[in-house]
Amino acid sequence: MKVIKTLLVYRRFLLIFFTPLLLLPLPLVIRTKEAECAYTLFVVAIFWLTEALPLAVSALLPALMFPLFGIMASKQVASAYFKDFHLLLTGVICLATSIEKWNLHKRIALKMVMLVGVNPAWLTLGFMISCAFLSMWLSNTSAAAMVMPIVEAVAQQIISAEAEVDGLEMTHANGATNHALELDEDIDECKAVGWKEKTKQINGYSNGSAHAVHTVCKIEKEKETSEPSDTGRKYRNKRDHMICKVMCLCIAYSSTIGGLTTITGTSTNLIFAEHFNTRYPDCQCINFGTWFILCIPITLIILVLSWVWLLWLFLGFNFKEMFKCGKEKSPREQASAQVIKEEYNKLGPMSYPEIITLVLFILMALLWFTRDPGFISGWASLFSAYPGFATDSTAALMIGLLFFIIPAKTLSRTSNGENIVFDYTPLITWKEFQACMPWEIAILVGGGFALADGCEVSKLSEWIGSKLTPLGSLPIWLTILISSLIVTTITEVASNPATITIFLPILAPLAEAIHVNPLYILIPSTLCTSFAFLLPVANPPNAIVFAYGHLKVIDMVKAGLGINIIGVAVVMLAVMTWGVPMFELNTYPSWAPAIANRTGL
């Protein structure tokens, strides 16, 4: 037993030591550049999947191994680690930093929930919509961490209100009177869990969120909260427990689903866009606007079907009760409404920094949409002498720089009204930006680009494509389904960025080999990489909500399996219907390499 325990303790070290050693015969026996590149790819892929080393550290291995194998010069490899993607990421993180610092995210979330209503079913939908909307512009992890404390407060207040109702009924039964139902005004006391957001770079050694790919920022002022624990948690009845489960799962899943909508919504989308534009520079069809038009229906359909699935699974889906008009609000619903209203009132009127952040947020979105919308000339046409020079990162960087320039405070007067005091502090500082910047993701993506470049230079991608041509005999929908199911399965046990980084250099040559538009396979595979819904450790939002103590692993597995099926089905529907005319998926494009059709298709 001691030997087994020792091996378990040193399992990461043993994996790091033996993986390169056991794979070493590959480059030694098969002395080709393809074999040497494959050796590097296998070592990095195994380290990414097992997280024996932190993801960013593993991503640096191509910079070490490619020059030693003579595949690429060190300068060539180094240039792959900083691309247009990193500039886009910088601009987006500037926006996210300001949104979180000035609490604009909380105002948006609470307002959207107030508009939806307080019926448990509608309340759940409201939280899902608000969390999904935030996730379009912020990291999935940040969106879940921001909204979850509000959800927990509402859930606990519902349980508290039900107890008050029971007490009121008992009092009436004993002949006493109680003039009003007193709701707990102290929101903090009814929170079972809160989160003190920390600057934490999630790495391969983190426990409970091992596959985290984003950073939870410490931009808000530190919140005094209690640690997540299920000790002493009481539910009046099974329905109360089911409501808590549904609300937790709706946040975990909607934060991931919302990220599908925009190119900047999740790292997998960004990795795909940069890899695609690098491999196919003549194609200008993938930008913020086209991706949004393709994915907004996908997001809405998955969101609604997921809502129905979660309600049916845990609460039962009663249409008659949900759509009954003029029904008086129950004490449960009144409690929820009061919690949300009080939380919103605590924010006070919109401050000057919130207004400026909102304006810049809208301006950035407009610049992305109008750069090259396709059906009309965008603002990029003003620079027609330099076609393709201005990208989405140009707009993101321009707005991002403004956050370091625009002052966070307006002119103010002293008490006597004579002297004007101006304290110049920008909307965000460099330290705040650094705390929010996911450096691990930046290096990880760079490592993926280096691997992709190495596969091209060594001709490994061409060799893989030639071996995959038998798949051309299968119907195209079956090929897409197989690739989507493979990435959906692997992403449950590996980080999303690592999964998409591994598969993009494989799937692109596959599409070329079977003479199919690469977008036909790459788009569904990219979207399905985000479908990590089964396990608490599958992605950070799952881990965050699981830590609140309402859920068991089996709850997440049952719910997540249904969401996975819904997600894959909707993505397949999208690429087979409205995606076809958008990107002309039925034809092999001129911007893809002209490869002879070996399969006779």
Side-chain angles (χ1 to χ4, degrees):
M1 289 299 293
K2 282 188 176 181
V3 175
I4 295 176
K5 288 182 180 180
T6 304
L7 291 175
L8 289 175
V9 170
Y10 289 98
R11 64 187 181 277
R12 286 197 179 97
F13 173 77
L14 295 174
L15 196 62
I16 294 168
F17 180 78
F18 283 109
T19 297
L21 195 62
L22 294 175
L23 292 174
L24 198 55
L26 179 61
L28 293 179
V29 175
I30 309 173
R31 295 179 175 275
T32 62
K33 294 302 177 187
E34 292 95 329
E36 293 167 350
C37 183
Y39 173 77
T40 305
L41 179 63
F42 285 145
V43 171
V44 174
I46 290 172
F47 285 171
W48 275 343
L49 293 175
T50 60
E51 298 194 30
L53 286 173
L55 294 176
V57 176
S58 300
L60 294 173
L61 290 178
L64 169 66
M65 300 173 75
F66 282 167
L68 295 180
F69 280 127
I71 297 173
M72 295 174 67
S74 183
K75 288 183 179 180
Q76 288 179 290
V77 183
S79 64
Y81 280 83
F82 196 90
K83 299 269 190 179
D84 185 61
F85 157 85
H86 295 87
L87 297 178
L88 178 61
L89 182 65
T90 300
V92 170
I93 296 302
C94 290
L95 172 64
T97 303
S98 186
I99 287 176
E100 296 173 28
K101 177 181 179 180
W102 301 110
N103 262 342
L104 181 60
H105 63 283
K106 191 172 184 180
R107 186 180 297 277
I108 292 172
L110 289 171
K111 191 64 177 179
M112 293 183 75
V113 173
M114 289 171 66
L115 292 174
V116 171
V118 293
N119 177 283
W122 294 115
L123 186 64
T124 300
L125 181 61
F127 278 126
M128 291 184 77
I129 293 173
S130 59
C131 191
F133 178 77
L134 291 174
S135 184
M136 293 180 191
W137 317 102
L138 309 176
S139 77
N140 301 350
T141 305
S142 295
M146 292 167 196
V147 180
M148 194 57 208
I150 303 170
V151 173
E152 179 69 11
V154 172
Q156 293 305 313
Q157 190 69 359
I158 288 174
I159 295 173
S160 176
E162 287 291 320
E164 292 282 356
V165 172
D166 285 348
L168 182 63
E169 291 176 349
M170 290 292 292
T171 303
H172 280 298
N174 293 331
T177 58
N178 191 339
H179 298 289
L181 172 62
E182 296 292 335
L183 294 175
D184 186 0
E185 296 180 357
D186 187 0
I187 305 302
D188 291 331
E189 290 181 1
C190 66
K191 287 184 181 178
V193 178
W195 280 85
K196 184 176 183 179
E197 296 186 23
K198 302 176 181 178
T199 306
K200 180 181 179 184
Q201 201 71 4
I202 311 277
N203 58 36
Y205 297 104
S206 58
N207 185 21
S209 57
H211 304 294
V213 296
H214 291 295
T215 306
V216 180
C217 312
K218 182 185 178 183
I219 302 304
E220 294 184 13
K221 302 303 180 183
E222 292 186 349
K223 301 176 181 178
E224 294 301 325
T225 59
S226 59
E227 292 299 322
S229 174
D230 59 356
T231 58
R233 186 186 302 282
K234 294 181 180 179
Y235 306 101
R236 294 182 60 260
N237 50 49
K238 185 177 180 180
R239 181 175 173 80
D240 285 341
H241 193 186
M242 293 298 107
I243 288 176
C244 291
K245 288 183 178 183
V246 169
M247 287 188 173
C248 286
L249 289 171
C250 81
I251 297 304
Y253 296 156
S254 61
S255 63
T256 299
I257 295 167
L260 303 175
T261 315
T262 61
I263 281 286
T264 59
T266 182
S267 58
T268 53
N269 294 356
L270 283 168
I271 293 169
F272 158 75
E274 182 62 30
H275 181 276
F276 183 83
N277 290 330
T278 302
R279 187 178 180 90
Y280 307 108
D282 294 334
C283 177
Q284 302 296 323
C285 54
I286 295 296
N287 55 52
F288 189 90
T290 56
W291 186 270
F292 185 87
I293 293 172
L294 171 72
C295 291
I296 189 64
I298 296 175
T299 299
L300 292 175
I301 295 171
I302 296 177
L303 205 64
V304 172
L305 293 180
S306 300
W307 172 60
V308 174
W309 165 250
L310 291 175
L311 288 181
W312 177 83
L313 189 62
F314 292 100
L315 297 176
F317 200 77
N318 192 329
F319 280 98
K320 185 179 293 186
E321 287 293 323
M322 286 179 57
F323 296 99
K324 188 174 181 180
C325 299
K327 180 183 176 183
E328 185 178 350
K329 291 181 180 178
S330 67
R332 181 193 302 271
E333 295 168 350
Q334 293 174 10
S336 303
Q338 178 149 333
V339 170
I340 295 171
K341 186 176 180 180
E342 288 179 355
E343 286 287 318
Y344 188 81
N345 290 337
K346 285 180 182 179
L347 297 176
M350 281 193 75
S351 63
Y352 163 77
E354 281 184 275
I355 295 173
I356 297 299
T357 300
L358 181 61
V359 170
L360 293 178
F361 169 55
I362 295 172
L363 183 58
M364 183 182 286
L366 288 175
L367 287 174
W368 278 336
F369 277 115
T370 58
R371 179 178 68 85
D372 187 17
F375 53 91
I376 58 172
S377 297
W379 59 263
S381 62
L382 298 175
F383 308 95
S384 55
Y386 312 103
F389 279 41
T391 63
D392 287 335
S393 64
T394 309
L397 206 57
M398 181 175 66
I399 300 300
L401 292 175
L402 293 178
F403 287 103
F404 291 100
I405 299 172
I406 298 175
K409 297 180 181 179
T410 56
L411 295 175
S412 58
R413 294 182 180 274
T414 57
S415 57
N416 57 21
E418 295 179 358
N419 299 323
I420 297 178
V421 179
F422 182 75
D423 179 20
Y424 176 72
T425 304
L427 287 170
I428 62 173
T429 64
W430 180 251
K431 286 186 177 180
E432 291 166 342
F433 168 79
Q434 280 186 310
C436 198
M437 180 69 179
W439 299 108
E440 184 183 42
I441 293 300
I443 297 175
L444 172 65
V445 173
F449 295 150
L451 277 177
D453 290 348
C455 290
E456 289 296 314
V457 173
S458 67
K459 304 297 176 85
L460 177 62
S461 59
E462 185 178 320
W463 181 85
I464 292 173
S466 66
K467 299 303 178 183
L468 292 175
T469 50
L471 288 177
S473 59
L474 298 176
I476 181 60
W477 68 267
L478 187 56
T479 304
I480 297 172
L481 180 61
I482 291 172
S483 61
S484 298
L485 291 176
I486 289 173
V487 297
T488 303
T489 302
I490 292 181
T491 199
E492 295 290 349
V493 294
S495 71
N496 299 355
T499 303
I500 194 64
T501 304
I502 292 169
F503 276 93
L504 283 176
I506 297 173
L507 295 176
L510 165 63
E512 295 166 8
I514 63 177
H515 217 68
V516 169
N517 191 321
L519 288 173
Y520 224 151
I521 295 178
L522 296 184
I523 287 178
S525 298
T526 299
L527 294 174
C528 289
T529 305
S530 295
F531 296 158
F533 299 128
L534 288 181
L535 301 172
V537 296
N539 63 25
N542 292 6
I544 288 172
V545 301
F546 190 80
Y548 277 74
H550 297 295
L551 296 166
K552 295 180 180 178
V553 174
I554 190 62
D555 296 323
M556 192 164 281
V557 171
K558 287 192 298 184
L561 185 60
I563 307 294
N564 271 347
I565 295 172
I566 290 170
V568 173
V570 174
V571 168
M572 289 290 294
L573 174 67
V575 295
M576 293 294 178
T577 53
W578 65 84
V580 173
M582 279 189 64
F583 299 109
E584 298 180 351
L585 298 181
N586 283 335
T587 59
Y588 190 76
S590 58
W591 43 260
I595 298 177
N597 186 1
R598 306 178 181 89
T599 62
L601 288 180

